[in-house]
Amino acid sequence: SAVISQKPSRDICQRGTSLTIQCQVDSQVTMMFWYRQQPGQSLTLIATANQGSEATYESGFVIDKFPISRPNLTFSTLTVSNMSPEDSSIYLCSVAARTGGDEKLFFGSGTQLSVL
Amino acid sequence: QKEVEQNSGPLSVPEGAIASLNCTYSDRGSQSFFWYRQYSGKSPELIMSIYSNGDKEDGRFTAQLNKASQYVSLLIRDSQPSDSATYLCAVPLSGSARQLTFGSGTQLTVLP
């Protein structure tokens, strides 16, 4: 499995501001993934971050709201822009790693975001 | 859009009992299935994966897959209070296990 570090672990932000979440992996990976978990809900894939190209966003998520950077094979950032209380969620970085012959998805510790 | 349905629970079982968690999925073409455990305030942790019809056992955990019925379950034998968590079923969005769609999760409480 991969060791995935995220920061900040939590933050409380004001409406209209932006927050950038950082994700660092201990090994080089082609793709990194960003998920959101709204309060009491399950996980939803926001986008896939590819090194050297633009991120691929899932339906309902747009680059202007969630810009993503992927400067190298071990690091990515997700920015939550122009925040509103509806953006209050846990944001999770994840990577796929091959274990036991199969590829599996592993998660970082998450960023708990509260927007006032 | 692929859908994954789980009994939302909450599910309570006494310590030592078998906990049974169920999941159905909409895409008949799904080939791999995953169970994650999420403790309150923590990130999801992969506990089981299954790819073939039948049972797969790992310690106290058994995953069961029935592709004809589009049904996957997780059994936890000899449940312990430390098993109290939310269990998430997941299937790949596309053919790869890199991008998953998750069920809503089943909250399990094991009572001492």
Side-chain angles (χ1 to χ4, degrees):
Chain A
S1 64
V3 177
I4 308 167
S5 304
Q6 258 185 262
K7 58 181 180 181
S9 59
R10 62 177 62 237
D11 207 342
I12 301 173
C13 300
Q14 296 297 320
R15 181 195 299 261
T17 62
S18 298
L19 175 72
T20 295
I21 303 167
Q22 299 181 6
C23 179
Q24 180 78 49
V25 187
D26 68 341
S27 58
Q28 294 185 336
V29 292
T30 306
M31 296 183 190
M32 297 174 73
F33 308 93
W34 289 97
Y35 283 81
R36 179 176 73 179
Q37 188 172 30
Q38 294 178 299
Q41 303 295 316
S42 191
L43 287 80
T44 302
L45 179 63
I46 298 172
T48 301
N50 307 295
Q51 197 270 333
S53 64
E54 275 200 4
T56 304
Y57 290 83
E58 298 301 311
S59 176
F61 298 96
V62 295
I63 188 171
D64 289 346
K65 176 66 176 177
F66 298 101
I68 288 171
S69 78
R70 184 79 202 274
N72 58 52
L73 290 173
T74 63
F75 186 79
S76 178
T77 67
L78 170 76
T79 298
V80 186
S81 303
N82 188 24
M83 288 184 284
S84 66
E86 292 71 36
D87 294 320
S88 297
S89 294
I90 300 172
Y91 292 86
L92 293 150
C93 171
S94 67
V95 301
R98 192 165 290 276
T99 62
D102 299 306
E103 200 165 57
K104 300 181 178 68
L105 198 65
F106 297 91
F107 289 89
S109 53
T111 297
Q112 171 103 50
L113 170 62
S114 298
V115 184
L116 304 179
Chain B
Q1 182 71 23
K2 298 189 178 185
E3 294 183 355
V4 179
E5 300 285 339
Q6 289 184 252
N7 296 342
S8 59
L11 174 67
S12 293
V13 300
E15 185 173 355
I18 296 175
S20 177
L21 307 164
N22 304 317
C23 173
T24 59
Y25 57 94
S26 63
D27 183 9
R28 189 170 287 277
S30 295
Q31 296 296 316
S32 52
F33 307 86
F34 304 92
W35 282 100
Y36 283 80
R37 177 176 63 198
Q38 186 174 26
Y39 291 114
S40 180
K42 302 294 185 182
S43 60
E45 170 193 13
L46 180 66
I47 55 171
M48 288 288 285
S49 58
I50 187 166
Y51 307 94
S52 304
N53 275 332
D55 295 359
K56 178 182 178 182
E57 188 174 314
D58 183 0
R60 296 186 295 111
F61 297 98
T62 299
Q64 300 176 317
L65 175 60
N66 183 326
K67 290 185 179 179
S69 300
Q70 296 176 240
Y71 176 92
V72 58
S73 65
L74 179 70
L75 302 178
I76 306 174
R77 292 184 302 281
D78 188 23
S79 295
Q80 302 297 309
S82 58
D83 295 325
S84 298
T86 296
Y87 290 80
L88 301 163
C89 175
V91 300
L93 272 171
S94 58
S96 165
R98 297 175 173 183
Q99 298 154 312
L100 300 178
T101 185
F102 286 82
S104 56
T106 299
Q107 185 177 340
L108 171 67
T109 301
V110 180
L111 304 170

